[in-house]
Amino acid sequence: MLNVKRLSLADAELILDGCQRKAVEVGTPKDMAVVDESGHLIAFRRMDGAKFTAIDIAINKAFTSSGGGRATRDYKTVAGAGGPAFGLHTQHQGRFTIIGGGIPVVVDGQIVGGVGISSGAADEDHAVAEAGIAAFVATLKS
Amino acid sequence: MLNVKRLSLADAELILDGCQRKAVEVGTPKDMAVVDESGHLIAFRRMDGAKFTAIDIAINKAFTSSGGGRATRDYKTVAGAGGPAFGLHTQHQGRFTIIGGGIPVVVDGQIVGGVGISSGAADEDHAVAEAGIAAFVATLKS
Amino acid sequence: MLNVKRLSLADAELILDGCQRKAVEVGTPKDMAVVDESGHLIAFRRMDGAKFTAIDIAINKAFTSSGGGRATRDYKTVAGAGGPAFGLHTQHQGRFTIIGGGIPVVVDGQIVGGVGISSGAADEDHAVAEAGIAAFVATLKS
Amino acid sequence: MLNVKRLSLADAELILDGCQRKAVEVGTPKDMAVVDESGHLIAFRRMDGAKFTAIDIAINKAFTSSGGGRATRDYKTVAGAGGPAFGLHTQHQGRFTIIGGGIPVVVDGQIVGGVGISSGAADEDHAVAEAGIAAFVATLKS
């Protein structure tokens, strides 16, 4: 039998709160998603003015990073044009995304979920995801 | 040019807060979605223990009620087996759902969004959506 | 070699003009589509206030009637619950629709296109499609 | 609650009239789509002889530019092979397109819709979309 650790809704809300504070700080409204360790959506927020075309992308970034156990931007070299895993970006009906902005949530060496941010530059999206995860991790230590 | 009213993220969070209180009261964890007047997701929460197979259904109930301007359960007679609009449930790649639990959010006679609840009996889902909308509407009057 | 008759864009616009006049008369804004004899979209109009969830349905009604050579409502008995062709409504990724509101355009015994109307009661949608085709056919006789 | 401006059907028809005049001028029949600020189709025309394989592409260009708030051709560098957002073109089930020919319609700094043209060279498609928007914008000033 396996024991699986999984983000709760309360955990996901903490992450989104952290993401939202960072998004306000950088000044770009974001689509923000948190999925569990199985890639299923736990919580989502679209800030006022964030793109409707970024809703699915945010969810897909969270999905991909939860499954792959790495930040979506880390797929760029391996899965970009000319890379050995080129083509990954069409898998899962195109849901597998290699655009920066998705980060797995790892606790005690286990993937417990993923965060995906979209509606801006990939590096900014990544930073917003990172801020949300940091806000959550800080609560674990106290 | 047309002028359209749309739920903000803050409005959607108020609705989900109301839904969540009702879900706790009835004792069933729920997947809960709020979309805007064009059917695009604004906010989503999956309560701990709610079914992952109900995520899409909640989102689709919100989508359908926002588009159709009526509660999804009101489609049962017209679009159920033998009804004049039988077949509606396969439209939009199957996103159009005639299962109870979706309710449009109407303010001053205009559809401004939709709420979809899933992970339980259709009537219970409907009641949870209703409670969320009531909580939001109450804030408009004060 | 085959000779195929096909509605032109000008023909399709005449049909939509006729549909739109009828929709104004019955007082319901409609989503209105005209496809060619191969089921491909020629022209589409969403009247102000017509449902966004009826866009695809209007297009699918036109598609189905052009392919099947009959009004979509005529499938109700044969393809409804208990009918010998039950299941048709899931074909073509659910695009095959048996809801009234789609009518083929037939000239000299040949199907030259299809009209699909949605955003109201099926019989009303059918009447609006009929009015558009009648307006077009009248121009052929003069 | 948010207030949103949206193109009406009459606005969309003005845009398509302008696009069609330009398409006649450049001598290529076009598939031409106008969507609202939420990416939903308002009006579509396929000129006689335009490709049936360009119908969806025109609609998707309009969808993408309405959501992204920029011309689809402006995604080429950022989302082309080697770009930081490579993979965007598979999102939304492949509807997100980075091929030139889609332009958002912006009025008073707000996205109110999008125009997508297809069935020719990307730069020509872009020019046709531009001409349609210019024709519409001219009516706002008078």
Side-chain angles (χ1 to χ4, degrees), chain A residues 5-7 35-37 42 105-107 110-114 136:
Chain A
K5 280 183 196 299
R6 173 178 295 166
L7 292 173
V35 304
D36 66 22
E37 93 301 335
I42 305 175
V105 184
V106 179
V107 174
Q110 258 189 282
I111 302 170
V112 298
F136 165 62

Side-chain angles (χ1 to χ4, degrees), chain C residues 34-87:
Chain C
V34 179
V35 303
D36 66 22
E37 93 302 333
S38 294
H40 296 308
L41 193 62
I42 304 175
F44 176 86
R45 295 183 196 165
R46 175 158 51 111
M47 293 171 67
D48 299 341
K51 298 170 185 172
F52 70 84
T53 43
I55 297 170
D56 278 14
I57 299 174
I59 295 172
N60 291 344
K61 285 176 180 176
F63 169 84
T64 302
S65 60
S66 166
R70 65 172 88 178
T72 49
R73 72 176 182 186
D74 293 346
Y75 282 104
K76 263 192 302 187
T77 309
V78 76
F86 179 69

Side-chain angles (χ1 to χ4, degrees), chain D residues 65-79:
Chain D
S65 60
S66 166
R70 64 171 90 178
T72 49
R73 71 176 182 187
D74 293 347
Y75 282 104
K76 264 193 300 188
T77 308
V78 76

Side-chain angles (χ1 to χ4, degrees), chain A residues 48 51-57 60 76 79-81 86 89-90 93-100 122, chain D residues 2 37-39 63-64 66-68 70 75 81-93 96:
Chain A
D48 299 341
K51 299 169 185 171
F52 70 83
T53 43
I55 297 170
D56 278 13
I57 299 176
N60 291 346
K76 264 194 300 188
F86 179 69
H89 66 292
T90 68
Q93 294 82 47
R95 294 196 64 195
F96 199 109
T97 176
I98 64 172
I99 306 166
Chain D
L2 307 175
E37 91 303 331
S38 291
F63 169 84
T64 303
S66 166
R70 64 171 90 178
Y75 282 104
F86 178 71
L88 265 180
H89 66 293
T90 69
Q91 296 298 296
H92 292 274
Q93 294 82 47
F96 200 107

